[in-house]
């Protein structure tokens, strides 16, 4: 039998379809993708599943609001989720939708097994239900809000099928004891153990109050409770009832957010135990990315979108930030400031700079061919030791999902190489034979370190490390390098460097943040057709540099949709941390509006007070650098750098609020 690779199966949660992905969802999918790449480089055959959770009351309501059937609504949403993961380079090997027929079959089969084994019975239930979280709220009274999301609960009575969760208290506790790494991190494990020790109540697993769900065969109008349905998707994705054929079950790793750990580490193994199916090996709960210390949600208007960040800084920068900034398992704050700071310091000045300066020196001194090293000095051996130790340490930390610490190790090696170059100064060496030989050793040593860190960083920075690999002219694909065989000294010398490609061009922090925010605003409140939704907004309000696409001709009916009025500036002030933006209050006749304008570098705030300007008053409000902007001041964009010049009314003292036509 040929040498079969060991199999590894990991999952992200399947995401609700009543919203679109933000950075929190992207976080889990990015981590899953990095683990998948890492495991492949360690010789595993890997399947990663993600997908969409498409049933329940929320979807019913969202579809109703959109005026389309549920099936059409979820189909559109699933396409949008899948397309985004593809675009971001983190596609699933199995994208499972809970409306897929293979999934419906699996849920019905799992229920049948649980029932046949005596763990399902019929009963009545009245309780407070949170329709947003799709869960009854234990111990809640009518009028209580949901403790998780804070929204009002609804009183619901229904006949349903119960799952005998109470029968699994002891089996679960025994299972946790026998498998001490099943729930990670440890703090979550302790929480779950105390929860289970506190006693488990039976769980209703069908609904008659919900229409949009998987039917319980022969028991209509019962449909399955969304969590019985959703959790089963992990199994449906790798064969369902025929899971043994594919050989990926039991799952090796469920990656989840801390809010859904109970479903995964209590309900899910209990369902599987009841059906006498193998139980997953591990559930890992990560923390949340917070905005201003609270969880992101569209209703709070504080969501961070992945696409604008990827467009501005590249996907690798976002991946690096998500995995480097926060200890995996803990909560962390998201800030654009920290993102761009890390980009410039660690990626542009760190890895990017080391790669480009090393390549440039090899180009200049050795005609672009990696030189063979001469005799070694202690400092060369010292750098070799740093790199060799980094291999063991970075891999060990990655294996324990200490991603931030693994990256710390890799970047410490980059810093050591920078210091080595600074002290060796190969650029100051002459052309004598001895100097040339020394230069060869220094550049070979630096290049070898670069090769090692590039391989180690590949699971986190797949695109940029592949570019460095090409630059170094190394054979094969970087993703095919076996991590277990990675050692100091394997650099292939005498090969010609490949094509240099821009890795991480340095960016101006404020400009980058403004452009990301402007693209995010545009995506959330599109003013253009969807095809252009990710394009940067024009300069006047955002202060961005991108030119608007050439306009098509529009009819008068389109023009009249834009409501422009004469406004008078009442106050104007600078915004801390945004040198291009001014915060204005503007009287538009009917009200005083707050509007941000990207004119701070050309207009003194004090001189603007009393000035009459043209204002677009029916633009959807948006936030710029965290400040609400409700309208747009019209300005000409002059010269190549797009200097803003305010439109005005010099000929006559026009009335405030007069409409521009
Ligand atoms: N559909 C269920 C999961 C079913 S799995 C069988 C669900 N969906 S969700 O779309 O609401 O959330 C999916 C995941 O995104 C959860 O793990 C949640 O923790 C995670 N995140 C949502 N917001 C987040 C942050 N702000 N930060 C990090 N992760 C967050 O729950």
């Amino acid at each position: 039998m040929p040498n079969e690779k060991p199999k590894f199966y990991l999952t992200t949660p399947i995401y609700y379809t009543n919203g679109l992905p933000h950075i929190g969802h992207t976080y889990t999918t990015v981590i899953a993708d990095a683990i998948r790449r890492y495991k492949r480089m360690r010789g595993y055959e890997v399947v990663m599943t993600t997908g969409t959770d498409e049933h329940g009351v929320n979807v019913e309501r969202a579809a109703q609001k959109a005026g389309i059937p549920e099936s059409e609504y979820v189909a559109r949403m699933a396409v949008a989720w899948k397309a985004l993961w593809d675009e971001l380079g983190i596609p699933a090997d199995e994208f499972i939708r809970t409306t897929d027929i293979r999934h419906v079959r699996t849920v019905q089969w799992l229920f049948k097994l649980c029932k046949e084994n005596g763990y399902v019975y019929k009963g009545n239930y009245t309780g407070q239900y949170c329709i947003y979280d799709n869960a009854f709220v234990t111990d809640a009274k009518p009028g209580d809000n949901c403790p998780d999301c804070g929204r009002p609960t609804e009183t619901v009575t229904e006949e349903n099928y119960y799952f005998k969760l109470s029968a699994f208290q002891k089996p679960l506790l025994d299972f946790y004891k026998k498998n001490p790494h099943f729930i990670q991190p440890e703090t979550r494990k302790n929480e779950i153990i105390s929860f289970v020790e506190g006693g488990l109540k039976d769980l209703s697993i069908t609904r008659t109050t919900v229409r949009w769900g998987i039917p319980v065969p022969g028991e209509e109008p019962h449909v399955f409770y969304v969590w019985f349905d959703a959790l089963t998707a992990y199994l449906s994705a790798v064969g369902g009832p025929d899971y043994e054929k594919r050989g990926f079950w039991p799952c090796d790793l469920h990656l989840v957010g801390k809010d859904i750990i109970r479903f995964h580490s209590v309900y899910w193994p209990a369902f599987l135990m009841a059906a006498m199916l193998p139980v997953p090996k591990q559930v890992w709960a990560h923390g949340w990315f917070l905005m201003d210390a609270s969880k992101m949600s569209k209703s709070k208007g504080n969501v961070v979108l992945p696409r604008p960040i990827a467009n501005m800084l590249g996907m690798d920068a976002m991946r690096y930030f998500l995995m480097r900034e926060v200890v995996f398992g803990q909560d962390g704050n998201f800030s654009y400031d920290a993102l761009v700071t890390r980009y410039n310091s660690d990626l542009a000045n760190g890895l990017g700079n080391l790669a480009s300066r090393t390549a440039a020196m090899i180009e200049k001194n050795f005609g672009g061919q990696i030189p063979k090293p001469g005799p070694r000095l202690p400092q060369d051996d010292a750098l070799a030791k740093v790199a060799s130790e980094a291999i063991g340490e970075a891999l060990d930390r990655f294996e324990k999902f200490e991603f931030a610490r693994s990256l710390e190790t890799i970047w410490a090696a980059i810093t050591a190489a920078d210091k080595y170059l600074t002290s060796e100064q190969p650029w100051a060496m002459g052309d004598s034979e001895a100097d040339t030989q020394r230069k060869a050793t220094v550049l070979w040593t630096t290049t070898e370190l670069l090769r090692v860190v590039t391989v180690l960083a590949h699971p986190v920075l797949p695109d940029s490390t592949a570019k460095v690999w090409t630059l170094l002219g190394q054979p094969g694909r970087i993703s095919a390098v076996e991590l277990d065989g990675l050692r100091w000294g394997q650099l292939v010398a005498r090969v010609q460097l490949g094509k240099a490609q821009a890795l991480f061009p340095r960016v101006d922090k404020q400009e980058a943040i403004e452009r990301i925010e402007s693209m995010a605003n545009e995506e959330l409140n599109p003013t253009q057709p969807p095809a252009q939704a990710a394009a940067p907004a024009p300069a006047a309000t955002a202060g961005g540099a991108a030119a608007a696409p050439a306009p098509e001709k529009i009819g008068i009916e389109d023009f009249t949709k834009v409501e422009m009025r004469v406004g008078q500036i009442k106050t104007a002030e600078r915004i801390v941390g945004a040198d291009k933006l001014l915060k204005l209050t503007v009287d538009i006749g009917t009200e005083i509006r707050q509007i941000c304008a990207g004119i701070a570098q050309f207009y003194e705030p004090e001189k603007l007070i009393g000035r009459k300007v043209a204002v677009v008053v029916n633009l959807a409000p948006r936030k710029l650098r965290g400040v609400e902007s409700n309208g747009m001041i019209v300005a000409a964009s002059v010269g190549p750098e797009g200097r803003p010049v305010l439109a005005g009314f010099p000929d006559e003292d026009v009335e405030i609020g007069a409409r521009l036509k």
Side-chain angles (χ1 to χ4, degrees), residues 565-571 584-589 591-593 608-615 633 653-654 656-657:
R565 294 191 178 272
V566 175
Q568 185 175 46
I569 299 177
K570 292 293 177 193
T571 63
L584 311 171
T585 51
V586 183
D587 185 350
I588 57 163
E591 65 187 291
I592 299 205
R593 290 276 186 90
L608 285 172
I609 294 166
R611 183 165 178 152
K612 288 191 176 157
V613 285
V615 183
I633 310 286
D653 188 19
V654 291
I656 297 171

PDB file of all heavy atoms in Angstrom, residues 565-571 584-589 591-593 608-615 633 653-654 656-657:
ATOM      1  N   ARG A 565     -27.750  71.677  -1.525  1.00  0.00           N
ATOM      2  CA  ARG A 565     -28.288  72.931  -0.993  1.00  0.00           C
ATOM      3  C   ARG A 565     -27.154  73.849  -0.575  1.00  0.00           C
ATOM      4  O   ARG A 565     -26.029  73.407  -0.348  1.00  0.00           O
ATOM      5  CB  ARG A 565     -29.180  72.657   0.216  1.00  0.00           C
ATOM      6  CG  ARG A 565     -30.432  71.882  -0.172  1.00  0.00           C
ATOM      7  CD  ARG A 565     -31.460  71.837   0.943  1.00  0.00           C
ATOM      8  NE  ARG A 565     -32.642  71.125   0.470  1.00  0.00           N
ATOM      9  CZ  ARG A 565     -33.670  71.686  -0.176  1.00  0.00           C
ATOM     10  NH1 ARG A 565     -33.668  72.985  -0.404  1.00  0.00           N
ATOM     11  NH2 ARG A 565     -34.689  70.962  -0.585  1.00  0.00           N
ATOM     12  N   VAL A 566     -27.515  75.122  -0.449  1.00  0.00           N
ATOM     13  CA  VAL A 566     -26.544  76.081   0.062  1.00  0.00           C
ATOM     14  C   VAL A 566     -26.497  75.924   1.581  1.00  0.00           C
ATOM     15  O   VAL A 566     -27.532  75.891   2.247  1.00  0.00           O
ATOM     16  CB  VAL A 566     -26.967  77.526  -0.293  1.00  0.00           C
ATOM     17  CG1 VAL A 566     -26.017  78.538   0.336  1.00  0.00           C
ATOM     18  CG2 VAL A 566     -27.027  77.688  -1.802  1.00  0.00           C
ATOM     19  N   GLY A 567     -25.293  75.784   2.104  1.00  0.00           N
ATOM     20  CA  GLY A 567     -25.145  75.683   3.555  1.00  0.00           C
ATOM     21  C   GLY A 567     -24.164  76.728   4.049  1.00  0.00           C
ATOM     22  O   GLY A 567     -23.382  77.284   3.261  1.00  0.00           O
ATOM     23  N   GLN A 568     -24.240  77.016   5.345  1.00  0.00           N
ATOM     24  CA  GLN A 568     -23.284  77.975   5.901  1.00  0.00           C
ATOM     25  C   GLN A 568     -22.521  77.303   7.039  1.00  0.00           C
ATOM     26  O   GLN A 568     -23.121  76.714   7.951  1.00  0.00           O
ATOM     27  CB  GLN A 568     -24.002  79.209   6.423  1.00  0.00           C
ATOM     28  CG  GLN A 568     -23.009  80.265   6.893  1.00  0.00           C
ATOM     29  CD  GLN A 568     -23.702  81.554   7.294  1.00  0.00           C
ATOM     30  OE1 GLN A 568     -24.705  81.506   8.010  1.00  0.00           O
ATOM     31  NE2 GLN A 568     -23.183  82.678   6.838  1.00  0.00           N
ATOM     32  N   ILE A 569     -21.197  77.407   6.963  1.00  0.00           N
ATOM     33  CA  ILE A 569     -20.364  76.748   7.978  1.00  0.00           C
ATOM     34  C   ILE A 569     -20.459  77.522   9.289  1.00  0.00           C
ATOM     35  O   ILE A 569     -20.252  78.732   9.326  1.00  0.00           O
ATOM     36  CB  ILE A 569     -18.910  76.638   7.494  1.00  0.00           C
ATOM     37  CG1 ILE A 569     -18.872  75.781   6.219  1.00  0.00           C
ATOM     38  CG2 ILE A 569     -18.014  76.054   8.579  1.00  0.00           C
ATOM     39  CD1 ILE A 569     -17.521  75.631   5.575  1.00  0.00           C
ATOM     40  N   LYS A 570     -20.824  76.804  10.354  1.00  0.00           N
ATOM     41  CA  LYS A 570     -20.987  77.441  11.659  1.00  0.00           C
ATOM     42  C   LYS A 570     -19.746  77.245  12.533  1.00  0.00           C
ATOM     43  O   LYS A 570     -19.309  78.149  13.209  1.00  0.00           O
ATOM     44  CB  LYS A 570     -22.207  76.836  12.390  1.00  0.00           C
ATOM     45  CG  LYS A 570     -23.523  77.187  11.724  1.00  0.00           C
ATOM     46  CD  LYS A 570     -23.728  78.659  11.888  1.00  0.00           C
ATOM     47  CE  LYS A 570     -24.968  79.190  11.216  1.00  0.00           C
ATOM     48  NZ  LYS A 570     -24.995  80.629  11.117  1.00  0.00           N
ATOM     49  N   THR A 571     -19.221  76.006  12.545  1.00  0.00           N
ATOM     50  CA  THR A 571     -18.000  75.742  13.312  1.00  0.00           C
ATOM     51  C   THR A 571     -17.112  74.837  12.472  1.00  0.00           C
ATOM     52  O   THR A 571     -17.599  74.109  11.596  1.00  0.00           O
ATOM     53  CB  THR A 571     -18.284  75.003  14.640  1.00  0.00           C
ATOM     54  OG1 THR A 571     -18.847  73.732  14.338  1.00  0.00           O
ATOM     55  CG2 THR A 571     -19.227  75.768  15.550  1.00  0.00           C
ATOM     56  N   LEU A 584     -16.961  69.820  10.554  1.00  0.00           N
ATOM     57  CA  LEU A 584     -17.703  71.075  10.379  1.00  0.00           C
ATOM     58  C   LEU A 584     -19.110  70.903  10.906  1.00  0.00           C
ATOM     59  O   LEU A 584     -19.672  69.808  10.861  1.00  0.00           O
ATOM     60  CB  LEU A 584     -17.814  71.422   8.894  1.00  0.00           C
ATOM     61  CG  LEU A 584     -16.533  71.385   8.049  1.00  0.00           C
ATOM     62  CD1 LEU A 584     -16.882  71.550   6.577  1.00  0.00           C
ATOM     63  CD2 LEU A 584     -15.588  72.491   8.490  1.00  0.00           C
ATOM     64  N   THR A 585     -19.711  72.012  11.392  1.00  0.00           N
ATOM     65  CA  THR A 585     -21.161  71.992  11.514  1.00  0.00           C
ATOM     66  C   THR A 585     -21.672  73.005  10.500  1.00  0.00           C
ATOM     67  O   THR A 585     -21.120  74.093  10.355  1.00  0.00           O
ATOM     68  CB  THR A 585     -21.653  72.332  12.931  1.00  0.00           C
ATOM     69  OG1 THR A 585     -21.033  73.530  13.364  1.00  0.00           O
ATOM     70  CG2 THR A 585     -21.346  71.232  13.918  1.00  0.00           C
ATOM     71  N   VAL A 586     -22.718  72.593   9.786  1.00  0.00           N
ATOM     72  CA  VAL A 586     -23.174  73.387   8.646  1.00  0.00           C
ATOM     73  C   VAL A 586     -24.682  73.596   8.744  1.00  0.00           C
ATOM     74  O   VAL A 586     -25.440  72.621   8.899  1.00  0.00           O
ATOM     75  CB  VAL A 586     -22.836  72.652   7.322  1.00  0.00           C
ATOM     76  CG1 VAL A 586     -23.234  73.493   6.127  1.00  0.00           C
ATOM     77  CG2 VAL A 586     -21.359  72.301   7.260  1.00  0.00           C
ATOM     78  N   ASP A 587     -25.096  74.865   8.650  1.00  0.00           N
ATOM     79  CA  ASP A 587     -26.525  75.183   8.642  1.00  0.00           C
ATOM     80  C   ASP A 587     -27.036  74.970   7.216  1.00  0.00           C
ATOM     81  O   ASP A 587     -26.552  75.616   6.278  1.00  0.00           O
ATOM     82  CB  ASP A 587     -26.682  76.659   9.065  1.00  0.00           C
ATOM     83  CG  ASP A 587     -28.140  77.050   9.196  1.00  0.00           C
ATOM     84  OD1 ASP A 587     -29.003  76.255   8.790  1.00  0.00           O
ATOM     85  OD2 ASP A 587     -28.398  78.161   9.703  1.00  0.00           O
ATOM     86  N   ILE A 588     -28.015  74.061   7.038  1.00  0.00           N
ATOM     87  CA  ILE A 588     -28.528  73.841   5.662  1.00  0.00           C
ATOM     88  C   ILE A 588     -29.963  74.365   5.520  1.00  0.00           C
ATOM     89  O   ILE A 588     -30.729  73.939   4.668  1.00  0.00           O
ATOM     90  CB  ILE A 588     -28.438  72.360   5.243  1.00  0.00           C
ATOM     91  CG1 ILE A 588     -29.198  71.460   6.219  1.00  0.00           C
ATOM     92  CG2 ILE A 588     -27.009  71.904   5.101  1.00  0.00           C
ATOM     93  CD1 ILE A 588     -29.486  70.081   5.661  1.00  0.00           C
ATOM     94  N   GLY A 589     -30.328  75.247   6.399  1.00  0.00           N
ATOM     95  CA  GLY A 589     -31.648  75.880   6.300  1.00  0.00           C
ATOM     96  C   GLY A 589     -32.667  75.205   7.184  1.00  0.00           C
ATOM     97  O   GLY A 589     -33.346  75.856   7.969  1.00  0.00           O
ATOM     98  N   GLU A 591     -31.828  72.461   9.196  1.00  0.00           N
ATOM     99  CA  GLU A 591     -31.158  71.893  10.377  1.00  0.00           C
ATOM    100  C   GLU A 591     -29.668  72.190  10.308  1.00  0.00           C
ATOM    101  O   GLU A 591     -29.168  72.642   9.266  1.00  0.00           O
ATOM    102  CB  GLU A 591     -31.368  70.372  10.435  1.00  0.00           C
ATOM    103  CG  GLU A 591     -30.714  69.679   9.274  1.00  0.00           C
ATOM    104  CD  GLU A 591     -31.019  68.185   9.186  1.00  0.00           C
ATOM    105  OE1 GLU A 591     -30.538  67.440  10.048  1.00  0.00           O
ATOM    106  OE2 GLU A 591     -31.700  67.802   8.226  1.00  0.00           O
ATOM    107  N   ILE A 592     -28.993  71.904  11.442  1.00  0.00           N
ATOM    108  CA  ILE A 592     -27.535  72.044  11.432  1.00  0.00           C
ATOM    109  C   ILE A 592     -26.936  70.649  11.401  1.00  0.00           C
ATOM    110  O   ILE A 592     -27.273  69.800  12.209  1.00  0.00           O
ATOM    111  CB  ILE A 592     -27.064  72.841  12.660  1.00  0.00           C
ATOM    112  CG1 ILE A 592     -27.705  74.227  12.568  1.00  0.00           C
ATOM    113  CG2 ILE A 592     -25.538  72.893  12.710  1.00  0.00           C
ATOM    114  CD1 ILE A 592     -27.047  75.349  13.246  1.00  0.00           C
ATOM    115  N   ARG A 593     -26.110  70.413  10.427  1.00  0.00           N
ATOM    116  CA  ARG A 593     -25.535  69.089  10.200  1.00  0.00           C
ATOM    117  C   ARG A 593     -24.055  69.038  10.583  1.00  0.00           C
ATOM    118  O   ARG A 593     -23.343  70.019  10.392  1.00  0.00           O
ATOM    119  CB  ARG A 593     -25.557  68.777   8.696  1.00  0.00           C
ATOM    120  CG  ARG A 593     -26.887  68.524   8.094  1.00  0.00           C
ATOM    121  CD  ARG A 593     -27.277  67.066   8.320  1.00  0.00           C
ATOM    122  NE  ARG A 593     -28.516  66.775   7.610  1.00  0.00           N
ATOM    123  CZ  ARG A 593     -28.556  66.334   6.351  1.00  0.00           C
ATOM    124  NH1 ARG A 593     -27.437  66.142   5.687  1.00  0.00           N
ATOM    125  NH2 ARG A 593     -29.713  66.075   5.776  1.00  0.00           N
ATOM    126  N   LEU A 608     -13.021  79.484   7.801  1.00  0.00           N
ATOM    127  CA  LEU A 608     -14.179  78.905   7.105  1.00  0.00           C
ATOM    128  C   LEU A 608     -15.505  79.345   7.716  1.00  0.00           C
ATOM    129  O   LEU A 608     -16.556  79.242   7.076  1.00  0.00           O
ATOM    130  CB  LEU A 608     -14.105  77.376   7.170  1.00  0.00           C
ATOM    131  CG  LEU A 608     -13.073  76.720   6.252  1.00  0.00           C
ATOM    132  CD1 LEU A 608     -12.969  75.237   6.573  1.00  0.00           C
ATOM    133  CD2 LEU A 608     -13.484  76.894   4.787  1.00  0.00           C
ATOM    134  N   ILE A 609     -15.429  79.828   8.948  1.00  0.00           N
ATOM    135  CA  ILE A 609     -16.682  80.109   9.654  1.00  0.00           C
ATOM    136  C   ILE A 609     -17.452  81.227   8.952  1.00  0.00           C
ATOM    137  O   ILE A 609     -16.884  82.256   8.588  1.00  0.00           O
ATOM    138  CB  ILE A 609     -16.394  80.419  11.129  1.00  0.00           C
ATOM    139  CG1 ILE A 609     -15.861  79.120  11.730  1.00  0.00           C
ATOM    140  CG2 ILE A 609     -17.643  80.900  11.876  1.00  0.00           C
ATOM    141  CD1 ILE A 609     -15.218  79.205  13.017  1.00  0.00           C
ATOM    142  N   GLY A 610     -18.729  80.990   8.692  1.00  0.00           N
ATOM    143  CA  GLY A 610     -19.571  81.968   8.004  1.00  0.00           C
ATOM    144  C   GLY A 610     -19.582  81.756   6.496  1.00  0.00           C
ATOM    145  O   GLY A 610     -20.413  82.316   5.786  1.00  0.00           O
ATOM    146  N   ARG A 611     -18.676  80.925   5.985  1.00  0.00           N
ATOM    147  CA  ARG A 611     -18.585  80.746   4.529  1.00  0.00           C
ATOM    148  C   ARG A 611     -19.758  79.906   3.997  1.00  0.00           C
ATOM    149  O   ARG A 611     -20.176  78.942   4.623  1.00  0.00           O
ATOM    150  CB  ARG A 611     -17.265  80.034   4.234  1.00  0.00           C
ATOM    151  CG  ARG A 611     -17.029  79.850   2.779  1.00  0.00           C
ATOM    152  CD  ARG A 611     -15.597  79.491   2.549  1.00  0.00           C
ATOM    153  NE  ARG A 611     -15.389  79.275   1.137  1.00  0.00           N
ATOM    154  CZ  ARG A 611     -14.252  79.459   0.517  1.00  0.00           C
ATOM    155  NH1 ARG A 611     -13.193  79.848   1.200  1.00  0.00           N
ATOM    156  NH2 ARG A 611     -14.144  79.250  -0.778  1.00  0.00           N
ATOM    157  N   LYS A 612     -20.273  80.312   2.847  1.00  0.00           N
ATOM    158  CA  LYS A 612     -21.372  79.547   2.249  1.00  0.00           C
ATOM    159  C   LYS A 612     -20.809  78.528   1.261  1.00  0.00           C
ATOM    160  O   LYS A 612     -19.939  78.855   0.457  1.00  0.00           O
ATOM    161  CB  LYS A 612     -22.343  80.483   1.564  1.00  0.00           C
ATOM    162  CG  LYS A 612     -23.130  81.271   2.612  1.00  0.00           C
ATOM    163  CD  LYS A 612     -24.281  82.023   2.041  1.00  0.00           C
ATOM    164  CE  LYS A 612     -25.049  82.677   3.180  1.00  0.00           C
ATOM    165  NZ  LYS A 612     -25.820  83.820   2.739  1.00  0.00           N
ATOM    166  N   VAL A 613     -21.328  77.329   1.361  1.00  0.00           N
ATOM    167  CA  VAL A 613     -20.795  76.235   0.538  1.00  0.00           C
ATOM    168  C   VAL A 613     -21.940  75.430  -0.069  1.00  0.00           C
ATOM    169  O   VAL A 613     -23.091  75.550   0.374  1.00  0.00           O
ATOM    170  CB  VAL A 613     -19.925  75.276   1.405  1.00  0.00           C
ATOM    171  CG1 VAL A 613     -18.587  75.882   1.735  1.00  0.00           C
ATOM    172  CG2 VAL A 613     -20.651  74.848   2.675  1.00  0.00           C
ATOM    173  N   ALA A 614     -21.608  74.613  -1.054  1.00  0.00           N
ATOM    174  CA  ALA A 614     -22.613  73.712  -1.641  1.00  0.00           C
ATOM    175  C   ALA A 614     -22.532  72.376  -0.901  1.00  0.00           C
ATOM    176  O   ALA A 614     -21.439  71.824  -0.739  1.00  0.00           O
ATOM    177  CB  ALA A 614     -22.314  73.512  -3.122  1.00  0.00           C
ATOM    178  N   VAL A 615     -23.706  71.895  -0.474  1.00  0.00           N
ATOM    179  CA  VAL A 615     -23.718  70.675   0.338  1.00  0.00           C
ATOM    180  C   VAL A 615     -24.630  69.622  -0.300  1.00  0.00           C
ATOM    181  O   VAL A 615     -25.762  69.933  -0.669  1.00  0.00           O
ATOM    182  CB  VAL A 615     -24.280  70.982   1.756  1.00  0.00           C
ATOM    183  CG1 VAL A 615     -24.216  69.739   2.636  1.00  0.00           C
ATOM    184  CG2 VAL A 615     -23.544  72.133   2.399  1.00  0.00           C
ATOM    185  N   ILE A 633     -19.551  68.196   1.459  1.00  0.00           N
ATOM    186  CA  ILE A 633     -19.304  69.537   0.942  1.00  0.00           C
ATOM    187  C   ILE A 633     -18.713  69.377  -0.465  1.00  0.00           C
ATOM    188  O   ILE A 633     -17.800  68.577  -0.657  1.00  0.00           O
ATOM    189  CB  ILE A 633     -18.249  70.280   1.818  1.00  0.00           C
ATOM    190  CG1 ILE A 633     -18.607  70.200   3.304  1.00  0.00           C
ATOM    191  CG2 ILE A 633     -18.058  71.717   1.344  1.00  0.00           C
ATOM    192  CD1 ILE A 633     -19.742  71.062   3.721  1.00  0.00           C
ATOM    193  N   ASP A 653     -25.420  87.184  -2.348  1.00  0.00           N
ATOM    194  CA  ASP A 653     -25.579  86.607  -1.023  1.00  0.00           C
ATOM    195  C   ASP A 653     -26.774  85.650  -1.037  1.00  0.00           C
ATOM    196  O   ASP A 653     -27.903  86.035  -0.751  1.00  0.00           O
ATOM    197  CB  ASP A 653     -25.786  87.726   0.005  1.00  0.00           C
ATOM    198  CG  ASP A 653     -25.749  87.134   1.404  1.00  0.00           C
ATOM    199  OD1 ASP A 653     -25.234  86.012   1.561  1.00  0.00           O
ATOM    200  OD2 ASP A 653     -26.256  87.790   2.339  1.00  0.00           O
ATOM    201  N   VAL A 654     -26.530  84.393  -1.430  1.00  0.00           N
ATOM    202  CA  VAL A 654     -27.639  83.443  -1.591  1.00  0.00           C
ATOM    203  C   VAL A 654     -28.202  83.010  -0.241  1.00  0.00           C
ATOM    204  O   VAL A 654     -27.500  82.981   0.772  1.00  0.00           O
ATOM    205  CB  VAL A 654     -27.215  82.191  -2.397  1.00  0.00           C
ATOM    206  CG1 VAL A 654     -26.950  82.537  -3.836  1.00  0.00           C
ATOM    207  CG2 VAL A 654     -25.991  81.551  -1.765  1.00  0.00           C
ATOM    208  N   ILE A 656     -29.540  80.663   2.699  1.00  0.00           N
ATOM    209  CA  ILE A 656     -29.138  79.346   3.223  1.00  0.00           C
ATOM    210  C   ILE A 656     -30.282  78.360   2.984  1.00  0.00           C
ATOM    211  O   ILE A 656     -31.442  78.690   3.236  1.00  0.00           O
ATOM    212  CB  ILE A 656     -28.825  79.442   4.737  1.00  0.00           C
ATOM    213  CG1 ILE A 656     -27.644  80.384   4.951  1.00  0.00           C
ATOM    214  CG2 ILE A 656     -28.544  78.081   5.345  1.00  0.00           C
ATOM    215  CD1 ILE A 656     -27.380  80.733   6.380  1.00  0.00           C
ATOM    216  N   GLY A 657     -29.967  77.202   2.508  1.00  0.00           N
ATOM    217  CA  GLY A 657     -30.995  76.175   2.249  1.00  0.00           C
ATOM    218  C   GLY A 657     -31.474  76.180   0.808  1.00  0.00           C
ATOM    219  O   GLY A 657     -32.196  75.266   0.392  1.00  0.00           O
TER     220      GLY A 657
END
